Amino acid sequence: MARTRWLWISLASLVLLVGMLCARGGARLEVEPGSTLVVRVRGDYVEAAEPTLLARVLGGGPAPFARVLSQLALARRDDRLDAVVLAIEDTSLGWGKAAELRDAIGRLRAAGRRTVAYLELDGLAVQREYWIASAADEVWVVPGGSVPLVGLAAEYLYLGDAFDKLGVDFEVAKAGRYKSAVETIAGNAMSDASREMANALLDSTERQFVDGIARGRGLEPDAVRAAIDRAPVLASELADARLIDGEAHLDAVLEKLGGPVVKGEEYAGIDPASVGFDPVATYALVYGSGNVVPGDESATPRGEPVFAAGAIREAVEKAAKDDDVDAIIVRIDSPGGSALASEIMWRAISEAKRESGKPVVASFSDVAASGGYYVASAADSIVASGTTVTGSIGVFSLRPLLGGLLDKLGVRTELLTRGEHADFLSSTRPSSPAARERLQSVVLDIYRLFLERVGTGRSLATEAVDAVGQGRVWTGEQALERGLVDRLGGLHEAVREANRLRGIDEDADAILVAYPPPKPLAQELAELLNARIAAAARASVGLPALSGPLATLERALASAPPLAPLLVPPAWVEIR
C-alpha cells in the first residue's frame, strides 16, 4: 500500500514538473510593427475555464471558447498588428458562438485592423462557417475547397413509430403546448404548435444570417437571397456573386498582406498590459455548461461538462463572499434538465445577490433554454446573442412502459402493490387515470413555480410569462422583443452590462476570474482515469458514441431520476 501511494505521488510530481517546464520554456513574445496575426478556428469549443496544468500536459479535449475571444480582444488593442487572419476550418460552433465571433471581427474592423477570413472547408454543412467569415473585410477560399451557400435547414426526429415496433409505449405529462421534446420521443409527426415555433425560429435565424452576409459583403439582402437560391458551389460562382474575394492558399494570402506573421497560439501568451489593458474591476465568471443536473460533479464520467447544482451553488456563494470580486457573470450554454437542480441554482443566485449586493449578469452562449433559462432568470440582467436559442418555459415528465417489449422477448412479469396508486411505479403497465392525474398535477405545479421565478426575476406578471412560455423556444432576438433578455451580445457585452450595473464606464476593463477554482491534482487525475475507463468500457461492448439529437436526448434522460419532471426544450433543434 505504501509503495502504491508513493508511486502515485511521484507520478503527480512528475506531471507537475513537466507542466512547469512547459509553461516556463517559451521566451516572451515580441510583436513587430506591421505584423499579421493568424488565429485558427476549428473543432470543438466549450464554455469552460482554461484547462488545468494536467489537462495541458496530457492534451486533448475541446478548447475554451473564451480563448479565441481573448485573442481577438487583445488584437483589437494592439497597434503593432496591421491585419488579423481567421483561418476557419470545420467547427462545431453553434449560432450563438458564431454571432459572438462576428461581433469580435466587427470590433477589430472598427479599431482599424484589416480582417481577412480564410476558409479551409470541404463539405455541405458550412453555412455557419461562411456566416462568420462574411463579417471580415475579405473572404478567401482554399483552391479545391467547398463552400456551397445553399441556405438553412432544420431537421426534426420523431421516434414514436420506432418505439412502437419495439413494443415500448409512453405516458406523458406536460405543461406547455410548445413543449415538443415529448413529440420527438413518443410522437411520429410535428404538431401544429411545434411547426409554428420551428418556422419562427428558422425565420429569425435566416433573417440574421442573410442580413449579416449582406452587411459584411456590401450587398442588399435580396441579392444575398437570390444568390442562395442559385446555390453557388464553385469558388468562381461565389466570387461572381461577390460573396468571396477569390481563391488562394494561405501562404499567398499572408504574402499579400506582408509583414511578420504571429501565430495565435503564440499570441495567447502576450502580456495584456502591453496593449493597454488596465482593469478597474474583477468579475467572477461562473460556467454553466451541459445538462442541468443535481450533484457536485462538473463533468460526466465521459468528461462532458454538466451544469451541476451543487458545483454552481458553491461557486456563486464563494464569489459572493470574495471581497476581491465586484460582480458575477454566469455564462450559460445549456438545454436544461432537472427541475430540482434548476430551482437550487436559482435560489443560490438570488441569495448571492441579496447578501452581497453584487450584480449578477447571465450571459448566454449557443443555448440557454428551459432549465438553463430558469437559472438565468434570477440574474439582474440577461445578455444573449441574437441567434441564441432560449426560453422554453415549460415542463414535462415521461414514463416509458416496457410491457410490450418484454412480451416480444418472451419475458413475463408479476406486479404486487400496496397503495391505491402504487401501480404507477411499474415499468410495464399503464397507470390508472387517477395516478396519471396526480403526475400531471406535479408537472403543473412546477410550471407555476417556473412562471413565478421568471416573473420575479424579469419583473413581469405571471400571465405575461405564461404568454411567452408554454414551452416555446425563441431566438435571442425574439426573446429581447418579449422581455426575456435585456441586451443582445456575447461575453464582451455581458462585461459592459456588469460595468453599467456597477455605475462605472461601460467600456472599462475588467478581469474575469473563473469560478470554481481548479480542482486538486489528485482529484483531477482520478476523474480523468474514470473518464478513460468509461470510454473504454463503452467501446468494448460496441456501443457507438451518440451525436446530435440522440445524444442530447440520451444525456437529458440519463441525468434525471425516473419520472422526474424535466425542464428540457426541443434542444435538438439544429439549424444547418
Side-chain angles (χ1 to χ4, degrees), residues 236-443:
S236 59
E237 296 173 319
L238 291 163
D240 289 342
R242 295 168 50 198
L243 294 170
I244 66 170
D245 293 279
E247 286 182 298
H249 286 286
L250 181 57
D251 58 347
V253 173
L254 294 175
E255 183 178 350
K256 176 184 175 184
L257 293 172
V261 175
V262 180
K263 295 181 180 179
E265 53 269 27
E266 298 170 348
Y267 192 75
I270 194 173
D271 181 4
S274 69
V275 294
F277 182 73
D278 185 19
V280 299
T282 299
Y283 299 153
L285 181 57
V286 178
Y287 283 106
S289 299
N291 287 310
V292 173
V293 298
D296 301 320
E297 297 300 326
S298 56
T300 68
R302 284 184 279 177
E304 300 163 335
V306 289
F307 197 175
I312 298 300
R313 177 171 56 191
E314 181 181 3
V316 169
E317 289 175 351
K318 287 184 177 180
K321 294 175 181 177
D322 190 336
D323 292 336
D324 293 329
V325 170
D326 301 301
I328 301 170
I329 296 176
V330 183
R331 177 71 167 177
I332 298 177
D333 194 10
S334 170
S338 163
L340 172 62
S342 301
E343 169 66 15
I344 290 171
M345 289 185 280
W346 185 94
R347 172 71 172 175
I349 293 173
S350 300
E351 287 297 290
K353 287 165 43 181
R354 183 182 65 82
E355 294 178 359
S356 70
K358 299 174 183 179
V360 178
V361 176
S363 171
F364 290 172
S365 184
D366 291 329
V367 58
S370 211
Y373 185 80
Y374 190 122
V375 176
S377 67
D380 293 294
S381 184
I382 298 177
V383 180
S385 293
T387 47
T388 294
V389 174
T390 189
S392 191
I393 301 167
V395 189
F396 80 90
S397 180
L398 198 67
R399 177 176 179 247
L401 300 175
L402 306 179
L405 173 62
L406 296 179
D407 286 343
K408 290 177 180 290
L409 297 174
V411 178
R412 298 290 177 260
T413 63
E414 294 286 349
L415 177 65
L416 305 176
T417 64
R418 298 294 185 274
E420 184 68 24
H421 304 302
D423 61 333
F424 185 71
L425 303 176
S426 169
S427 61
T428 59
R429 301 182 186 182
S431 55
S432 66
R436 288 196 296 272
E437 182 181 340
R438 298 305 300 159
L439 178 60
Q440 182 67 23
S441 69
V442 171
V443 168

Side-chain angles (χ1 to χ4, degrees), residues 81-115:
L81 296 175
D82 280 355
V84 177
V85 175
L86 279 87
I88 303 173
E89 303 176 35
D90 288 329
T91 176
S92 63
L93 287 172
W95 287 100
K97 295 186 185 72
E100 286 200 58
L101 275 186
R102 284 184 55 87
D103 290 344
I105 294 170
R107 290 191 290 272
L108 284 169
R109 295 179 67 171
R113 306 286 170 265
R114 183 178 178 182
T115 56

